[in-house]
Amino acid sequence: VKILKNVLKMMPNHSGANCNMGAALSSLGQFDNAKPFLQKSLEIEPNQPETILNIAMVEYKENKFHEAIETLKKAISLRENYDNAWYRLGDCYKTMAHYREAEEAYAKAVEINPVSVLGWVNLGTMSLMHNKIDKAHDCYKKALELNPDDVSIYFHYSYFLNSADLFDEIPKLLKVAKKHIPDRAITAFIEARYERRQGNIEKALSILEPFKDAKDSEGTKVGYELGL
């Protein structure tokens, strides 16, 4: 923010600088402060998709989901292959529980940008909600191939495998996890849940024991599994 302030002192009518300042303030939760910069950017360049996207993100964060959807559609009308706009449109629809539309938006996002890990994860989640098991599985596998070090993928992937009763696939996921994130609580969580569902309660407890005092989000999952 400090750097952008200096830039705007030198170039107060620079559309990109105003847009970036608005985006930075929005990321800090300063939505009212962000709006004037985004509005000024839009006044300078009315058809700038990045500015319109950032305005939509402020609307989304203020729970104005209908407005955000219309704003994102405007950004897409200006740049049809704007993958981030399609992804954010999927987020809006998902938040509103419009899962069919969310699935379509995420599908378009990964069609444009096939290396979007979050795009594949969210498409997998929406596919699962429509009982498209094979499609969902392919999405999670793709996400994991793209970034096997991303802890969050393992949680979503393991949840999918349990929900879809694909228990035989869990050891395969664990093999990847133990290679890439061997000392993480999420790996213990997945393995312990698998062992518990196989009836191996003592083994499950012993797997979780080293992580029982973890305080982060992974620790929360371990605590939940211990409670079961």
Side-chain angles (χ1 to χ4, degrees), residues 121 124-125 128 136-137 139-141 143-144 150-177 181 185-197 218 221-222 224-225:
V121 169
T125 301
L128 175 60
H137 201 179
C139 290
Y140 289 117
K141 284 193 287 188
L144 195 62
D150 188 330
V151 172
S152 66
I153 298 173
Y154 291 91
F155 174 72
H156 290 290
Y157 200 162
S158 66
Y159 176 83
F160 158 71
L161 294 175
N162 280 282
S163 299
D165 293 335
L166 296 174
F167 304 122
D168 291 344
E169 294 291 322
I170 295 175
K172 298 177 186 177
L173 178 62
L174 275 170
K175 184 177 180 181
V176 180
I181 52 169
I186 191 66
T187 304
F189 168 79
I190 295 169
E191 186 173 14
R193 172 168 284 193
Y194 175 74
E195 293 296 343
R196 174 176 61 81
R197 298 193 71 169
E218 292 179 59
K221 295 176 179 63
V222 167
Y224 173 80
E225 186 64 23

Side-chain angles (χ1 to χ4, degrees), residues 77-104:
S77 73
L78 293 167
R79 185 185 297 163
E80 186 177 354
N81 288 333
Y82 195 178
D83 60 301
N84 198 21
W86 282 104
Y87 177 81
R88 297 303 182 180
L89 185 61
D91 285 347
C92 287
Y93 282 130
K94 181 176 69 172
T95 303
M96 296 176 67
H98 294 177
Y99 299 127
R100 184 71 61 191
E101 292 89 345
E103 181 182 1
E104 291 171 357

Side-chain angles (χ1 to χ4, degrees), residues 59-71:
E59 293 168 337
Y60 176 80
K61 291 170 183 175
E62 292 183 329
N63 297 325
K64 299 175 181 177
F65 304 122
H66 291 286
E67 291 92 333
I69 286 171
E70 293 307 311
T71 304

Side-chain angles (χ1 to χ4, degrees), residues 17-228:
N18 278 281
C19 178
N20 289 338
M21 176 62 87
L25 292 169
S26 175
S27 70
L28 296 172
Q30 299 179 26
F31 307 130
D32 288 339
N33 292 333
K35 291 174 186 177
F37 290 100
L38 294 172
Q39 189 57 43
K40 185 169 184 178
S41 176
L42 197 63
E43 290 169 0
I44 298 165
E45 288 191 63
N47 296 319
Q48 179 56 257
E50 285 82 3
T51 302
I52 296 169
L53 172 69
N54 280 294
I55 291 172
M57 289 301 91
V58 171
E59 293 168 337
Y60 176 80
K61 291 170 183 175
E62 292 183 329
N63 297 325
K64 299 175 181 177
F65 304 122
H66 291 286
E67 291 92 333
I69 286 171
E70 293 307 311
T71 304
L72 287 165
K73 286 181 177 179
K74 182 178 179 181
I76 290 167
S77 73
L78 293 167
R79 185 185 297 163
E80 186 177 354
N81 288 333
Y82 195 178
D83 60 301
N84 198 21
W86 282 104
Y87 177 81
R88 297 303 182 180
L89 185 61
D91 285 347
C92 287
Y93 282 130
K94 181 176 69 172
T95 303
M96 296 176 67
H98 294 177
Y99 299 127
R100 184 71 61 191
E101 292 89 345
E103 181 182 1
E104 291 171 357
Y106 288 132
K108 185 66 176 179
V110 297
E111 177 187 326
I112 298 166
N113 181 14
V115 296
S116 171
V117 172
L118 286 175
W120 286 111
V121 169
N122 280 290
L123 180 57
T125 301
M126 293 302 99
S127 300
L128 175 60
M129 296 203 61
H130 293 115
N131 205 33
K132 299 177 181 178
I133 303 302
D134 289 342
K135 181 179 179 181
H137 201 179
D138 288 342
C139 290
Y140 289 117
K141 284 193 287 188
K142 182 66 176 179
L144 195 62
E145 288 171 6
L146 287 168
N147 190 359
D149 297 319
D150 188 330
V151 172
S152 66
I153 298 173
Y154 291 91
F155 174 72
H156 290 290
Y157 200 162
S158 66
Y159 176 83
F160 158 71
L161 294 175
N162 280 282
S163 299
D165 293 335
L166 296 174
F167 304 122
D168 291 344
E169 294 291 322
I170 295 175
K172 298 177 186 177
L173 178 62
L174 275 170
K175 184 177 180 181
V176 180
K178 288 180 177 181
K179 177 180 178 181
H180 291 276
I181 52 169
D183 299 320
R184 297 297 294 259
I186 191 66
T187 304
F189 168 79
I190 295 169
E191 186 173 14
R193 172 168 284 193
Y194 175 74
E195 293 296 343
R196 174 176 61 81
R197 298 193 71 169
Q198 299 297 314
N200 303 322
I201 305 300
E202 293 301 321
K203 185 174 182 180
L205 289 171
S206 68
I207 292 168
L208 294 170
E209 181 66 24
F211 301 94
K212 66 179 182 179
D213 296 323
K215 302 299 183 183
D216 57 9
S217 60
E218 292 179 59
T220 300
K221 295 176 179 63
V222 167
Y224 173 80
E225 186 64 23
L226 278 167
L228 295 174

